Amino acid sequence: MTAAPTAVPWWRHAVCYQIYVRSFADSDGDGIGDLAGITDRLPYLADLGVDAIWLTPFYRSPQADHGYDVADYRDVDPLFGSLEAFDAMLARAHELGLRVIVDIVPNHSSDEHEWFKAALAAGPGSPERERYVFRDGRGPDGAEPPNNWQSVFGGPAWTRADDGQWYLHLFDAGQPDFDWNNPDVGDEFESVLRFWLDRGVDGFRIDVAHGLAKAEGLPDTEYVMVAGRERLTPAALTEHAISERPYWDQPAVHDVYRRWRGVLESYDGDRMAIAEAWVGTAESMARYVRPDELQQAFNFHWLQAEWSAAQFRQVLVDTFAAVEPVDASPTWVLANHDVVRTVTRYGDGGVGVSRARAAAVAMLALPGSAYVYQGDELGLSQVDVAEADRQDPTWRRGGGVGRDGCRIPMPWDAAGPPFGFGPSGSTPWLPQPAAWGSLSVAAQENDPTSVLALYRSVLRTRRELLPVLGDRVTIVDRGDEDVFAFARAGATADDLALVCVVNCGVAAVPVGDLGAPVLTSEPGAVDGGALAPNTAGWFRAG
Ligand code: GLC
Ligand code: MG
């Protein structure tokens, strides 16, 4: 099946839309999004103007972490449909010109995976146990966990089996970590990758890509985890904090991705993979995209930047400085199913929405690939989910309020819950705010000032300009610390450059010298030759 790779692989400038499967569209009315629901809504995504979709896990799973606990990597959970429903979705997506990326979860399985059940049954010292990380405990009778590691979701990272041994789970107790030193594990995952590649998927998003290898001897860590929040705060992602952890970003993870690169390249069609690696610096991120490793890694430093011109500039400079030496292209992401919604992160009320619009305009001006989380194109905000309704294992394990607030089912029509997410009368798995009718697709569709209309027009313009734009970016000094501005060179010397200006300050800034804007983040953002605070614009400059 090997074919010569095309000059510019499809993923290099792709805009990829993340579908959180449980919350996108529910075709059968059980309150949970499913594959047939996605198939029905694919035309919406084709119209939006994205190039690809990424689906969160839909494999067989007891749903301890909403699918990130996989019991069978080669089958679809009946909750979401069947392999036939997957094939139908894939075929329809391809028909509409959309590439499909699926999630692969190699750090851990479900405790209901056949291998884990066999490991428990076979007992200490068995080869079955060596596929996971089983250890004897410390202290009298081994009643203390083998080391002091904590789960990302809160509480100890170890749970004791009935026979007294402990198993490691960096996440929920229902998510036992594999032991990647065991060759069975690598062989199994190569076979799983091939299973989905043979079915026709275009790529993979690799869950917890930085976690697969653990430091020799599983030493205690000095790092004290702020329960559940360690991955989500900028402070926790400094190089220091990461290097303290004997379970993140260990050098041996890269051997796995070298092997996976070979697997991907044995297929035609520029198949790709993107690493979810929460690492300390752009340099560590770039190690995942060296020429013989993965094609992409999420650039979480962009997502973590505050609404600050200085921070945006720094991330831009650091990102290019890191990816250029390894000849990789950058990625950009503002949100996903694990973090607080963009508009809420940037500030309460209208200002958050304006800034989120401006940040999207900036992100989509940059070369490389961008990832858009479902509902960001509607400007959805974080929802304060009542305690009784919370479902995230982070909440159950005492690791904080959890991530349910960014996972509320999509509002499609304005008529009241379930807002077209499921058939009328069905009850979505998380309650939708009553006010979401005005944020629904139906409400925004014909409003030229809506967030949805903005995304559509930015994506259309991005596509139109792609052939005349090059990959080189320079920071533009507009003589104002609060202005984040960059120029993207034209593809040839004759082509105009694209200049993007974001006003992070509190006063309007002059942009009259740049001519009329190609587009702006809000109607009327440029008035009398000045760009309003919390807005952004694209300009063409010679
Ligand atoms: C990743 C996923 C997150 C999940 C965790 C454990 O970080 O994005 O949702 O809980 O891995 O699989
Ligand atoms: Mg359903």
Side-chain angles (χ1 to χ4, degrees), residues 52-69:
I53 55 175
W54 147 34
L55 269 55
T56 55
F58 46 76
Y59 315 109
R60 270 194 193 269
S61 159
Q63 304 290 311
D65 185 21
H66 296 147
Y68 283 100
D69 49 318

Side-chain angles (χ1 to χ4, degrees), residues 225-397:
M225 191 174 303
V226 183
R229 257 170 286 146
E230 66 145 355
R231 294 177 312 140
L232 308 182
T233 63
L237 280 177
T238 61
E239 190 64 12
H240 177 68
I242 292 287
S243 62
E244 297 269 304
R245 262 85 55 95
Y247 42 83
W248 293 151
D249 204 26
Q250 298 290 311
V253 296
H254 296 288
D255 299 338
V256 175
Y257 305 128
R258 287 190 192 98
R259 177 170 179 181
W260 288 19
R261 176 64 172 245
V263 174
L264 292 164
E265 286 189 345
S266 70
Y267 286 78
D268 62 356
D270 292 314
R271 315 288 176 106
M272 55 76 76
I274 177 164
E276 185 219 16
W278 292 88
V279 293
T281 62
E283 281 87 345
S284 346
M285 176 192 74
R287 283 199 285 272
Y288 290 77
V289 291
R290 287 178 287 195
D292 59 346
E293 294 196 42
L294 303 171
Q295 288 80 4
Q296 295 184 340
F298 284 109
N299 185 0
F300 291 124
H301 299 99
W302 176 253
L303 174 159
Q304 289 177 312
E306 287 162 17
W307 179 255
S308 144
Q311 290 193 28
F312 287 136
R313 270 194 296 274
Q314 193 64 50
V315 173
L316 195 75
V317 169
D318 292 350
T319 301
F320 284 102
V323 298
E324 275 169 359
V326 292
D327 201 23
S329 59
T331 67
W332 311 98
V333 61
L334 286 170
N336 62 37
H337 65 294
D338 294 326
V339 301
V340 172
R341 283 271 184 196
T342 314
V343 307
T344 308
R345 275 202 333 269
Y346 285 147
D348 282 336
V351 78
V353 177
S354 295
R355 290 173 176 176
R357 294 173 71 118
V361 163
M363 172 170 86
L364 294 166
L366 288 162
S369 174
Y371 284 76
V372 175
Y373 178 46
Q374 77 179 35
D376 258 26
E377 84 282 18
L378 303 177
L380 299 186
S381 55
Q382 189 77 3
V383 172
D384 195 2
V385 178
E387 288 190 13
D389 293 325
R390 290 184 194 162
Q391 308 217 14
D392 184 356
T394 310
W395 167 249
R396 271 194 279 110
R397 293 184 58 89

Side-chain angles (χ1 to χ4, degrees), residues 39-55:
T39 308
D40 289 346
R41 296 290 185 183
L42 285 173
Y44 165 78
L45 297 175
D47 284 352
L48 182 61
V50 298
D51 305 293
I53 55 175
W54 147 34
L55 269 55

